[in-house]
């Protein structure tokens, strides 16, 4: 039995370029025959455009909790992995008032991430609503009025104070309740 790389130059007659830094297989190193290489050298005497390498964008994973069964993503900022116990209890109590449970939403702690990571998370999540508690990192809600739902197509966005601030202030609780009613109970 012969090596399959012996037949490769007969099937691929165009020049093969190896990009520096990429892993090479023995078959990929020399795939053009000498006749093809000299013919392409004559044809290819025009200057070649070389692109500058672009900076790699690192998307940092965001700590999340929940299964997003009802298409609702909730952004929080916390020093805890997701939320401290009191804030988590308050959040789920508020969500239960609009018929949402722990698995109906996806809670994401965006304290240590950049806007690219937030956009990547939203791109992979099927969501109809985004609630943002105590953060200005989410670009769509920068400069928006707190407790005032924003429609963007079929999606609704809401910016609020932090869960701790809401839990301690009756007026903020009322404002949140009114906003959530308009979003979830229509």
């Amino acid at each position: 039995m012969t090596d399959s790389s012996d037949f490769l130059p007969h099937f691929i007659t165009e020049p093969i370029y190896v990009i520096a830094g990429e892993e090479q297989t023995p078959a990929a190193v020399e795939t053009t025959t000498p006749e093809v290489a000299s013919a392409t050298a004559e044809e290819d005497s025009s200057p070649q455009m070389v692109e500058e390498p672009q900076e790699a964008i690192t998307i940092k994973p965001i700590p999340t909790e929940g299964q997003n069964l009802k298409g609702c993503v909730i952004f929080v900022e916390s020093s805890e992995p997701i939320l401290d116990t009191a804030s988590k209890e308050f959040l789920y109590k508020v969500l239960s008032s609009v018929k949402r449970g722990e698995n109906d939403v996806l809670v994401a702690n965006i304290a240590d991430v950049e806007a690219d990571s937030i956009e990547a998370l939203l791109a992979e999540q099927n969501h109809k609503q985004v609630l943002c508690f105590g953060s200005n990192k989410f670009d769509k809600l920068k400069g928006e009025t707190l407790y005032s739902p924003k429609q963007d197509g079929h999606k609704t966005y809401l910016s609020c104070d932090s869960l701790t601030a809401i839990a301690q202030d009756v007026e903020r609780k009322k404002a949140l309740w009114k906003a959530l009613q308009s979003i979830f109970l229509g």
Side-chain angles (χ1 to χ4, degrees):
M1 182 168 232
T2 60
D3 185 15
S4 63
S5 64
D6 294 338
F7 297 105
L8 193 55
H10 300 288
F11 292 111
I12 302 175
T13 57
E14 297 86 18
I16 304 292
Y17 298 98
V18 177
I19 299 172
E22 288 193 3
E23 191 175 309
Q24 300 175 10
T25 61
V29 175
E30 181 59 49
T31 58
T32 57
T33 60
E35 323 66 76
V36 172
S38 65
T40 55
E42 292 169 9
E43 295 169 8
D44 235 3
S45 61
S46 62
Q48 298 293 318
M49 181 175 229
V50 177
E51 287 188 33
E52 293 292 321
Q54 294 184 356
E55 250 183 72
I57 297 174
T58 305
I59 303 295
K60 186 175 180 179
I62 298 176
T64 61
E65 181 176 280
Q67 296 178 9
N68 193 24
L69 296 177
K70 292 193 177 177
C72 181
V73 177
I74 299 172
F75 292 133
V76 297
E77 286 194 40
S78 175
S79 58
E80 299 292 321
I82 299 295
L83 278 172
D84 60 272
T85 305
S87 294
K88 189 183 289 190
E89 286 174 3
F90 177 70
L91 174 63
Y92 290 129
K93 182 179 176 183
V94 167
L95 290 173
S96 69
S97 71
V98 289
K99 301 179 174 126
R100 298 290 183 275
E102 290 181 36
N103 289 325
D104 294 334
V105 299
L106 181 78
V107 180
N109 184 356
I110 59 173
D112 297 324
V113 297
E114 300 298 322
D116 292 340
S117 296
I118 296 168
E119 290 302 324
L121 175 79
L122 286 177
E124 69 184 31
Q125 293 295 321
N126 181 22
H127 64 284
K128 295 180 257 178
Q129 300 95 15
V130 175
L131 310 178
C132 192
F133 289 98
S135 176
N136 63 356
K137 288 187 175 184
F138 183 47
D139 289 338
K140 276 199 189 303
L141 290 172
K142 283 187 179 177
E144 292 294 321
T145 305
L146 295 178
Y147 307 101
S148 179
K150 174 186 173 186
Q151 284 293 131
D152 186 13
H154 297 291
K155 299 184 188 301
T156 306
Y157 301 92
L158 179 67
S159 181
C160 303
D161 290 306
S162 70
L163 290 166
T164 306
I166 296 169
Q168 297 170 358
D169 186 340
V170 173
E171 292 305 313
R172 289 178 179 162
K173 285 179 185 178
K174 288 178 183 178
L176 176 61
W177 171 240
K178 184 178 178 183
L180 293 177
Q181 280 182 313
S182 72
I183 294 172
F184 294 107
L185 304 177

